[in-house]
Amino acid sequence: GVKLDPMDKWSKVGLLIFDSQVPIGATPEYLAGHYMIQAASSFMPCIALAPQDNERILDMCAAPGGKATYLAALMKNTGMLFANDSKASRIKSLVANIQRLGVRNTVVTNLDGRIFPTVMKGFDRVLLDAPCTGLGVISRDPSIKVQKDSNDILRCVHLQKQLLLAAIDCVDVHSKTGGYVVYSTCSVSVEENECVIAHALRKRSVKVVPTGLTFGTPGFTRFRGKILHPSLAEARRFFPHTHNMDGFFVCKLKKFSNALPGKEKDDEKDEDDEEPQRRKSKGGKSEKDNIMQKRKRQEEEEEEEQEQEQEQEQAPPEPRRRSQKRSDSTSKSTAIATGKRGEPPTSILKTAVPYVPIPLSFLIVFQQ
């Protein structure tokens, strides 16, 4: 009593149901785990991720488990699949579907996806079906038109950017078979799709690669006067009126380095700045600094010699007694500077100058 057809050439396991005399979710075959009910667009990110056998896969927003169970089927129940969701209330449906379908390679976690890199890393591939406004399912749920507004889009965009950066950080760049991240939403807004990918391209060392999907509309590279990265044309968009499925967006990223963009140049600049400092620490000063200091010393010595010659030529000859007094005063000052506190210096006794105790503060000032 069920009318159905094969979905299309791009899927060998999907069936499109037109009519049924019994509830599809209450048949013995459903309870036995022979099939899963989900939209046709939910196949797209799993096909784009293309998981391989014996890989470590992360589904960052897995509930209720439609995509996670399909990934396990593509992996043939091998390797390790981590199905995570941040909402504890949705974990029940995720666990129920995993158990019903007989999945044996999955670990269920209840963590905020934004902090997942601090808990676990080193995945071969990561699927991020990010929370979104759901603007792509208006064709089958018109209430979204009155429930969502521009503020909801801004909130989702902020969360999506954080989740995508965390998903990229979870990927192992040295993976022999993977190193991929697939980002998808059930929204058609550019702010939640291409703009989020453009943000990731600026903040992480990733590039957009072909999704492997044989149909779909290329992603936007320009929108309302805003120029986006040209590689976003490799992303795929799906529309209800064109592809007869929910509005959807799929983009595949390849991680090629753990370094952050722009940081390598800064590190090179820091190393260039540290080289002269290292020279100074090893050999005292660099050769250039030594040459400059020698030149300055020579110039200063020449200036001093010229000043002394000018003073000798301009100064008139002084009487003998005055020079004798000046020599006495210099000897007195020298004796005061070199003498011990509380005892008369020997040079003062020789010159027969009366001893005058000098306070410590004056000695300090004189030494300076």
Side-chain angles (χ1 to χ4, degrees):
V2 179
K3 295 181 181 180
L4 50 83
D5 282 333
M7 187 173 294
D8 209 335
K9 295 180 181 179
W10 55 267
S11 177
K12 297 180 181 180
V13 298
L15 297 174
L16 186 60
I17 298 174
F18 295 100
D19 188 17
S20 176
Q21 297 178 0
V22 295
I24 296 299
T27 61
E29 292 79 8
Y30 178 84
L31 298 176
H34 292 177
Y35 61 88
M36 179 76 177
I37 301 172
Q38 61 181 3
S41 57
S42 298
F43 287 84
M44 302 304 169
C46 300
I47 296 173
L49 189 64
Q52 305 298 319
D53 298 349
N54 300 313
E55 284 188 338
R56 294 185 64 193
I57 310 295
L58 170 63
D59 188 356
M60 190 168 280
C61 304
K67 299 178 182 67
T69 53
Y70 186 35
L71 290 175
L74 294 174
M75 297 168 66
K76 301 176 184 177
N77 253 338
T78 62
M80 185 66 69
L81 173 63
F82 289 82
N84 176 73
D85 203 271
S86 60
K87 293 184 180 180
S89 59
R90 304 187 67 185
I91 294 294
K92 296 179 181 179
S93 61
L94 176 60
V95 172
N97 286 320
I98 288 173
Q99 292 177 348
R100 182 178 61 84
L101 294 167
V103 178
R104 300 187 303 271
N105 66 338
T106 302
V107 177
V108 178
T109 58
N110 179 213
L111 296 170
D112 188 349
R114 293 171 290 186
I115 64 171
F116 208 95
T118 61
V119 179
M120 193 178 303
K121 292 182 180 181
F123 293 97
D124 296 309
R125 301 167 194 258
V126 176
L127 172 62
L128 175 59
D129 185 33
C132 62
T133 55
L135 299 179
V137 299
I138 292 178
S139 59
R140 59 182 173 88
D141 188 8
S143 63
I144 294 176
K145 292 188 290 186
V146 295
Q147 292 176 357
K148 304 294 182 180
D149 56 9
S150 59
N151 293 327
D152 293 322
I153 295 177
L154 295 177
R155 282 192 293 267
C156 288
V157 168
H158 182 68
L159 177 61
Q160 289 160 356
K161 290 179 179 178
Q162 292 178 328
L163 288 173
L164 182 54
L165 295 182
I168 295 170
D169 293 338
C170 288
V171 173
D172 183 12
V173 70
H174 302 293
S175 175
K176 295 180 181 179
T177 59
Y180 295 100
V181 178
V182 171
Y183 174 82
S184 63
T185 64
C186 57
S187 177
V188 293
S189 65
V190 177
E191 292 80 6
E192 296 181 77
N193 298 320
E194 284 86 354
C195 291
V196 175
I197 300 298
H199 176 76
L201 294 175
R202 292 192 300 268
K203 297 295 183 180
R204 294 293 185 271
S205 297
V206 293
K207 60 181 179 180
V208 180
V209 296
T211 59
L213 300 173
T214 57
F215 68 106
T217 303
F220 290 115
T221 56
R222 293 186 178 185
F223 182 74
R224 292 183 178 178
K226 186 175 183 180
I227 300 175
L228 302 172
H229 200 276
S231 63
L232 285 170
E234 298 290 348
R236 286 296 175 264
R237 282 177 159 270
F238 303 94
F239 299 101
H241 63 282
T242 305
H243 305 99
N244 194 24
M245 61 177 65
D246 294 337
F248 218 77
F249 175 83
V250 180
C251 183
K252 189 173 185 179
L253 301 172
K254 170 69 174 177
K255 184 176 182 180
F256 58 86
S257 175
N258 288 324
L260 301 179
K263 197 170 183 179
E264 294 179 355
K265 295 181 180 180
D266 296 339
D267 294 340
E268 292 177 358
K269 289 181 181 179
D270 295 339
E271 290 179 359
D272 295 339
D273 295 339
E274 287 176 0
E275 282 184 1
Q277 294 180 0
R278 290 173 184 172
R279 291 177 184 173
K280 288 182 180 180
S281 61
K282 290 181 181 179
K285 293 179 181 179
S286 61
E287 296 179 358
K288 188 176 181 180
D289 294 338
N290 291 330
I291 294 170
M292 294 297 293
Q293 286 187 357
K294 286 181 182 179
R295 289 180 181 177
K296 287 182 180 180
R297 288 176 184 175
Q298 291 176 359
E299 292 176 357
E300 290 176 357
E301 290 176 358
E302 291 176 359
E303 289 179 358
E304 288 179 359
E305 290 178 357
Q306 290 178 1
E307 289 178 357
Q308 289 178 1
E309 291 176 359
Q310 291 177 359
E311 288 178 357
Q312 289 177 2
E313 293 176 357
Q314 295 178 0
E318 295 183 356
R320 197 168 185 178
R321 292 181 181 177
R322 191 171 181 181
S323 61
Q324 185 69 25
K325 289 181 180 179
R326 185 175 296 174
S327 63
D328 294 342
S329 62
T330 54
S331 64
K332 178 181 175 182
S333 62
T334 306
I336 291 171
T338 57
K340 295 182 181 180
R341 186 181 181 188
E343 296 181 1
T346 55
S347 59
I348 292 179
L349 295 176
K350 288 180 181 179
T351 55
V353 178
Y355 171 68
V356 180
I358 300 174
L360 183 62
S361 61
F362 179 81
L363 284 174
I364 294 173
V365 174
F366 188 83
Q367 287 176 356
Q368 289 179 353

